Amino acid sequence: MAIDGARSMKKVLRFMIGLLINVCILFALVKIFSGAYSFAYEVFANTSKDAGDTKIVSIEVLPDPTTMEVCESLEEAGVIDNKYAFMFKLRLGEHTSRIKAGTYKLSPSYTSKQIINILTGVEDTKK
């Protein structure tokens, strides 16, 4: 009888550990997919960081900048949420080579398309 009890306890314990591992895997998959969705949304949607934030910040783009330097400046100034998503958006649209040097007045209420247009000289708000 004690042997049967130990065997059934092992089965229950093995089942509980397997269930715990499966729940952890499921949780990890949900986090990965939600992160991937958020990143893709930031890349493909034309949204602003904060539509209600009307403050204007000055961003200086030096001559011959790397895309990462521009995106880091924008993120540090609070104009964009995710520098990697914005960099990906710039590269997808082939805008990286068209970014012009200068000092720009930007706001977190600007959409990503507006920011790209300003940085590439389509909208002239350079001061």
Side-chain angles (χ1 to χ4, degrees), residues 33-45 82 85 88-89 92:
F33 285 123
S34 86
Y37 175 81
S38 296
F39 183 80
Y41 184 79
E42 287 184 42
V43 170
F44 295 109
N82 186 333
F88 198 72
K89 181 181 281 247
L92 273 178

Side-chain angles (χ1 to χ4, degrees), residues 76-90:
E76 287 172 8
V79 177
I80 60 172
D81 277 327
N82 186 333
K83 63 184 172 189
Y84 299 109
F86 196 77
M87 182 175 65
F88 198 72
K89 181 181 281 247
L90 285 171

Side-chain angles (χ1 to χ4, degrees), residues 29-118:
L29 286 173
V30 167
K31 290 299 268 181
I32 289 168
F33 285 123
S34 86
Y37 175 81
S38 296
F39 183 80
Y41 184 79
E42 287 184 42
V43 170
F44 295 109
N46 187 30
T47 59
S48 61
K49 179 178 179 181
D50 185 4
D53 190 355
T54 58
K55 73 177 179 185
I56 301 292
V57 294
S58 230
I59 305 289
E60 184 177 356
V61 177
L62 301 174
D64 199 28
T66 65
T67 307
M68 183 54 85
E69 290 171 346
V70 173
C71 294
E72 284 175 348
S73 297
L74 293 171
E75 186 179 55
E76 287 172 8
V79 177
I80 60 172
D81 277 327
N82 186 333
K83 63 184 172 189
Y84 299 109
F86 196 77
M87 182 175 65
F88 198 72
K89 181 181 281 247
L90 285 171
R91 289 191 176 165
L92 273 178
E94 298 178 358
H95 300 290
T96 55
S97 63
R98 293 188 279 161
I99 295 174
K100 298 185 182 342
T103 302
Y104 299 95
K105 304 282 186 190
L106 301 171
S107 172
S109 64
Y110 292 175
T111 64
S112 55
K113 186 173 183 173
Q114 287 175 311
I115 294 170
I116 290 171
N117 287 343
I118 291 168

